[in-house]
């Protein structure tokens, strides 16, 4: 049976048109692994999200996270060129969305895919394409005015002035939400989790500097090293970093704690059970009462433990 893909790797009920969706032979959009756009049922979007993959040919990223769920690959397709995302979006909304619309609403258009979007030379072109297409849809139906474009980034782009300025322009001129990665809470954990030489304090500074002008959401992976059982997240240090960012004027709309949903690149990375995630979310919320914290387990968004619940610190063991 065919199925829409969920971001958890789950099989989700498929609308009848979905087979046709995949059959469309549009080389600019590609098929399956080479798709430029792909509808997914996303935990963190709370529904259907239209993904835009800027890297159909191969994974390109400034990090090398051991928990990454994009395994190295090579497809025999060309890198994206300007205009291809817009062509793919128009094709989708004209030919496929009319059948899909009755199944579930579209929550967002999400630019992420097989790597770090700010590494792509067509990111700005893709943002413009999303903006144009959404404005046209909104002119026909005002409900589209609620659909944002979400850019999921590992935050290294904030360290490049030209990327930071470009994102700031679009954050100010369109419905662009930026979800920025911040893991671990210390230099040591950040180094381990990003597999990079980027300094944690530079990443924190980059996010803070951007978020002074444009609110953003923080995304934080919580996982364990199965070889030692160590939790790769320092709650106290992380909370202190977030408070420091606030003190510096960062506008943090929300924090999303999530754990592994699919097999990681490194087999020693282990996700947390739901009970541990619930407790961890509560413990963080107790430390950071001024920000909305959401918790995502492997399959779904989780209710955090209620305030004042007795806790056995399940996440620590
Ligand atoms: S930043 Fe994202 S795409 Fe890049 S290695 Fe990490 S998890 Fe993978």
């Amino acid at each position: 049976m065919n199925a829409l893909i969920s971001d958890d790797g789950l099989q989700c009920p498929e609308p009848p048109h979905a087979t046709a969706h995949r059959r469309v032979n549009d080389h600019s959009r590609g098929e399956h692994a080479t798709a430029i756009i792909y509808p997914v049922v996303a935990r963190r979007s709370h529904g259907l999200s239209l993904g835009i993959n800027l890297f159909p040919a191969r994974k390109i990223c400034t990090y090398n996270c051991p928990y990454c769920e994009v395994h190295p690959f090579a497809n025999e397709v060309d890198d994206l060129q300007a205009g291809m995302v817009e062509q793919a979006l128009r094709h989708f909304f004209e030919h496929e969305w009319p059948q899909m619309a009755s199944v579930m609403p579209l929550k967002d258009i999400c630019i992420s895919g097989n790597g770090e979007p700010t590494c792509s030379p067509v990111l700005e072109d893709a943002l413009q394409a999303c903006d144009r297409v959404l404005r046209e849809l909104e002119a026909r139906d005002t409900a589209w005015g609620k659909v944002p474009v979400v850019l999921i980034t590992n935050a290294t782009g904030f360290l490049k002035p030209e990327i930071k300025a470009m994102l700031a322009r679009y954050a100010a001129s369109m419905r662009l939400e930026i979800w920025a990665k911040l893991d671990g809470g210390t230099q040591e954990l950040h180094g381990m989790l990003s597999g990079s030489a980027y300094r944690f304090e530079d990443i924190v500074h980059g996010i803070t500097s951007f978020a002074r002008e444009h609110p953003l959401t923080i995304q934080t992976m919580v996982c364990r090293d199965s070889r030692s059982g160590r939790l790769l997240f320092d709650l106290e240090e992380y909370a202190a970093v977030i408070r420091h960012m606030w003190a510096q004027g960062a506008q943090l709309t929300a924090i999303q704690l999530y754990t592994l949903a699919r097999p990681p690149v490194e087999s020693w990375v282990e996700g947390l059970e739901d009970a541990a995630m619930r407790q961890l979310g509560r413990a963080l919320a107790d430390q950071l009462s001024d920000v909305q914290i959401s918790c995502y387990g492997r399959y779904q968004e989780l209710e955090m433990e209620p305030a004042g619940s007795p806790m056995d610190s399940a996440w620590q063991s």
Side-chain angles (χ1 to χ4, degrees), residues 141-206:
D141 180 347
T142 53
W144 286 100
K146 295 188 182 138
V147 176
V149 176
V150 174
L151 176 76
I152 299 185
T153 176
N154 66 17
T156 55
F158 294 136
L159 305 184
K160 294 185 185 158
E162 69 282 7
I163 298 283
K164 185 179 165 202
M166 188 265 285
L167 293 178
R169 272 200 310 281
Y170 289 96
S173 66
M174 64 182 277
R175 278 187 308 283
L176 175 62
E177 291 181 14
I178 296 183
W179 297 0
K181 179 189 294 297
L182 186 70
D183 290 341
T186 65
Q187 171 59 45
E188 186 224 348
L189 290 171
H190 161 77
M192 230 174 137
L193 288 166
S194 69
S196 78
Y198 281 93
R199 295 194 319 162
F200 186 60
E201 66 182 271
D202 291 343
I203 296 296
V204 170
H205 180 263

Side-chain angles (χ1 to χ4, degrees), residues 59 61 63-65 67-68 115-116 154 181:
K59 176 176 169 180
C61 192
Y63 278 179
N64 190 20
C65 307
Y67 64 76
C68 186
E116 167 51 31
N154 66 17
K181 179 189 294 297

Side-chain angles (χ1 to χ4, degrees), residues 17-18 20-22 24-26 29 37 87-101 137 140:
H17 67 282
H21 168 71
R22 278 193 289 275
V24 173
N25 187 17
D26 174 357
R29 191 173 135 264
I37 64 170
Q87 184 187 354
L89 281 171
R90 291 190 183 285
H91 189 283
F92 173 79
F93 283 112
E94 192 174 331
H95 298 285
E96 300 166 44
W97 177 247
Q99 299 156 317
M100 198 177 282
L137 290 167
R140 282 182 253 152

Side-chain angles (χ1 to χ4, degrees), residues 5-6 15 23 30 42 47 59 62 73 86 107 122 126-127 144 146 170 182 201 222 224 241 269 281 287 289 293 316:
I5 302 163
S6 88
R23 273 196 207 124
K59 176 176 169 180
T62 43
F73 69 95
E86 182 157 350
K107 294 291 190 180
V122 298
L127 288 169
W144 286 100
K146 295 188 182 138
Y170 289 96
L182 186 70
E201 66 182 271
V222 186
R224 216 185 282 289
V241 167
V269 182
Q287 296 232 8
S289 54
I293 295 176
Q316 291 173 343

Side-chain angles (χ1 to χ4, degrees), residues 73-119:
F73 69 95
N75 285 323
E76 289 184 9
V77 293
D78 293 334
D79 290 334
L80 290 196
Q81 306 295 323
M84 290 172 79
V85 169
E86 182 157 350
Q87 184 187 354
L89 281 171
R90 291 190 183 285
H91 189 283
F92 173 79
F93 283 112
E94 192 174 331
H95 298 285
E96 300 166 44
W97 177 247
Q99 299 156 317
M100 198 177 282
S102 61
V103 180
M104 57 175 89
L106 187 67
K107 294 291 190 180
D108 59 42
I109 297 179
C110 181
I111 302 178
S112 57
N114 301 325
E116 167 51 31
T118 61
C119 294

